[in-house]
Amino acid sequence: MATPEPARRRRRPSSEGGGEPPARTPPRRKAASRKGGNAPGAAAALRAAAEQLSELLGRRPESVSSLKPTDDGWEAVVEVVELERIPDTTSVMGSYRVALDEEGELISYERTRRYSRGMIDRPGG
């Protein structure tokens, strides 16, 4: 049995051969915080919304389907399994709108929708 060859890196053309120098990529910058030094970024806000809602409901969130910044912090929509059934596609899901303040603390939540996991949203509906 033969072992696979290791992946090879491509070499950049050198500028000595009369060609143009290789393009430089700009250095990556840290994302600027939104309203001061304590404001969480999107990833931290997403985790905070899921963790804090889980604490309140006693159920683990399935996913976060949307996250957007607001004037006062963040707003997320978190999907939670409310009733597990067999088969999985018949489990009852709940969508919760979660509001976080500028520091990432949950300030409110509300269930906006209940549906079966196997249900597909239809355009215009």
Side-chain angles (χ1 to χ4, degrees), residues 4-5 28 31 34 40-41 43 47 53-55 64 83 86 112 114 118 120-121 125:
E5 284 188 37
R28 295 185 85 175
R34 292 174 342 111
R47 281 189 300 273
L53 185 62
S54 174
E55 221 174 284
V64 177
L83 182 60
I86 297 174
T112 58
R114 286 186 92 186
I120 298 172
D121 288 337

Side-chain angles (χ1 to χ4, degrees), residues 10-15 22-25:
R10 287 187 173 171
R11 292 185 184 177
R12 288 188 177 178
S14 67
S15 58
R24 299 187 100 194
T25 56

Side-chain angles (χ1 to χ4, degrees), residues 25-77:
T25 56
R28 295 185 85 175
R29 291 182 285 164
K30 269 189 152 181
S33 62
R34 292 174 342 111
K35 288 184 180 179
N38 294 344
L46 190 138
R47 281 189 300 273
E51 289 170 7
Q52 293 176 67
L53 185 62
S54 174
E55 221 174 284
L56 292 170
L57 297 178
R59 296 182 182 101
R60 186 180 58 80
E62 187 76 12
S63 65
V64 177
S65 57
S66 78
L67 177 73
K68 65 181 177 180
T70 64
D71 291 339
D72 301 323
W74 293 92
E75 183 177 288
V77 176

